Amino acid sequence: MMNEERRELIDCFVSESRDLLDEIEPQIIELEQNVTAAGRIDKRLLNDIFRLFHTLKGSASFLDLQAIIQVTHQAETLFDLFRSGRAMITSMHVDLFCQATDFIRRVLEQVEREGHDRSFEGDAQQIEDALVEAIRSVSSDGEPAQEEQGSSGNDLGMDKEEQAPEDIEITAELIKSFADEALELCENAESTVLSLEQSADSDSARQAFRAFHNLKGNAAFLGLPGIEKVSHLAESILDGIISGVRECDGVVITVLLTLIDSLRNGVRRMRDGKSPELPDLQQLLQ
């Protein structure tokens, strides 16, 4: 039987994961339509789907949901090959991603009821094996996907000169998407920290923890170490409050609000085309 704390974390995870799947699935359908029509597949779409699988994996890792971790990890790895321009995506690959999301939805039903994803090991292994085989197949081609002689572009819909690098390409659309979500997470964290100031209940601490945890994961995905470190610091403070080893006093509230202000300023700088690094990073960490 789940304790109250895990029950609340599970409920939040299931709700957020279903929201992510609701966001992923229409994009996968759009991807399939583009592949079928041999049209352009913009890099924003590829990056968005990759990021959502990445977020699902990170959240599942926090709760040690191994079946979901297995599938999302391999889906993320395969998708990275297409996102980076090292392989061409086909309808068969899109079908695999659809199988992965359908599987995760089924697992979430058990996680919601029982708090774990055990008993899905066999199904998870089958999907993982199919994804690993697809990874091996496209990796063994040896050469990045390039346009064929006489064609106007490759199956990824990218011109030769705009092939995505191995690391993620930071586009204006990706920055805007990250900034919008990050600012919303800062607002959520701030409101729950202010609630903590009135009443130091563990529910508010967990809500704030999740906001910082998501922000940390998104920053790590984009390679933003300053924002990632400050988010991790806030996460560590809140973890101490949740576990009861740290008192939630006025000093802690002030520190958390200071961290939120710094994160918000860093995100706004990035959105405005400036360096996303936090000038007060070392002082904050100290």
Side-chain angles (χ1 to χ4, degrees):
M1 196 170 175
M2 281 183 283
N3 61 36
E4 183 180 353
E5 180 178 335
R6 184 168 176 86
R7 175 76 268 171
E8 291 175 358
L9 290 172
I10 288 292
D11 288 345
C12 182
F13 167 75
V14 170
S15 175
E16 290 178 351
S17 295
R18 284 174 174 154
D19 286 344
L20 285 171
L21 290 170
D22 288 343
E23 191 175 348
I24 286 175
E25 287 168 339
Q27 292 178 310
I28 291 177
I29 292 171
E30 181 183 350
L31 184 66
E32 183 170 32
Q33 291 170 341
N34 289 340
V35 170
T36 302
R40 289 183 63 83
I41 303 173
D42 68 42
K43 289 178 283 186
R44 178 199 56 77
L45 178 61
L46 295 167
N47 286 334
D48 282 351
I49 300 174
F50 177 87
R51 180 174 61 83
L52 291 168
F53 272 119
H54 179 80
T55 302
L56 264 176
K57 184 186 75 172
S59 298
S61 298
F62 180 67
L63 292 169
D64 193 32
L65 300 172
Q66 290 299 319
I68 295 178
I69 294 168
Q70 276 181 262
V71 171
T72 51
H73 174 67
Q74 299 302 341
E76 180 188 52
T77 301
L78 177 58
F79 216 95
D80 191 42
L81 293 171
F82 307 132
R83 186 178 62 86
S84 64
R86 286 176 285 165
M88 294 184 293
I89 191 166
T90 69
S91 295
M92 181 272 288
H93 299 125
V94 176
D95 287 344
L96 277 177
F97 294 129
C98 289
Q99 289 177 39
T101 57
D102 288 345
F103 169 78
I104 294 166
R105 279 200 186 275
R106 287 192 289 113
V107 175
L108 287 175
E109 292 178 6
Q110 177 178 299
V111 172
E112 187 173 35
R113 291 193 311 270
E114 303 177 23
H116 62 78
D117 62 356
R118 295 187 293 276
S119 83
F120 280 95
E121 294 89 346
D123 290 345
Q125 191 62 55
Q126 285 185 0
I127 297 176
E128 182 183 21
D129 289 346
L131 289 165
V132 168
E133 179 57 35
I135 292 166
R136 184 180 300 114
S137 175
V138 298
S139 298
S140 66
D141 291 344
E143 295 295 331
Q146 296 178 1
E147 60 180 314
E148 294 179 6
Q149 194 72 22
S151 71
S152 59
N154 60 29
D155 284 6
L156 282 173
M158 301 176 191
D159 294 332
K160 241 178 149 178
E161 62 271 18
E162 61 178 52
Q163 288 289 330
E166 181 165 343
D167 294 327
I168 186 169
E169 180 179 354
I170 308 298
T171 64
E173 292 83 2
L174 194 58
I175 290 172
K176 183 180 185 305
S177 175
F178 167 78
D180 288 346
E181 185 175 354
L183 290 173
E184 183 178 345
L185 288 170
C186 285
E187 291 299 321
N188 291 343
E190 186 173 57
S191 64
T192 50
V193 168
L194 290 172
S195 296
L196 277 173
E197 190 173 24
Q198 302 300 319
S199 174
D201 64 289
S202 59
D203 184 55
S204 292
R206 280 190 287 270
Q207 287 183 47
F209 178 95
R210 287 191 291 270
F212 285 116
H213 180 74
N214 288 338
L215 182 52
K216 182 184 76 172
N218 292 346
F221 172 73
L222 286 180
L224 303 171
I227 293 175
E228 180 186 0
K229 287 176 183 177
V230 172
S231 299
H232 178 68
L233 174 59
E235 195 182 49
S236 299
I237 293 170
L238 287 158
D239 186 49
I241 295 171
I242 293 167
S243 62
V245 301
R246 184 185 298 277
E247 184 180 354
C248 184
D249 55 19
V251 173
V252 167
I253 296 297
T254 299
V255 169
L256 288 171
L257 291 174
T258 300
L259 296 179
I260 291 169
D261 285 340
S262 178
L263 289 167
R264 187 184 284 121
N265 289 336
V267 171
R268 285 173 176 163
R269 284 173 56 84
M270 182 179 182
R271 183 189 59 188
D272 294 340
K274 301 174 184 176
S275 169
E277 289 308 311
L278 310 180
D280 54 351
L281 176 60
Q282 292 308 314
Q283 181 181 352
L284 287 170
L285 294 178
Q286 289 169 8

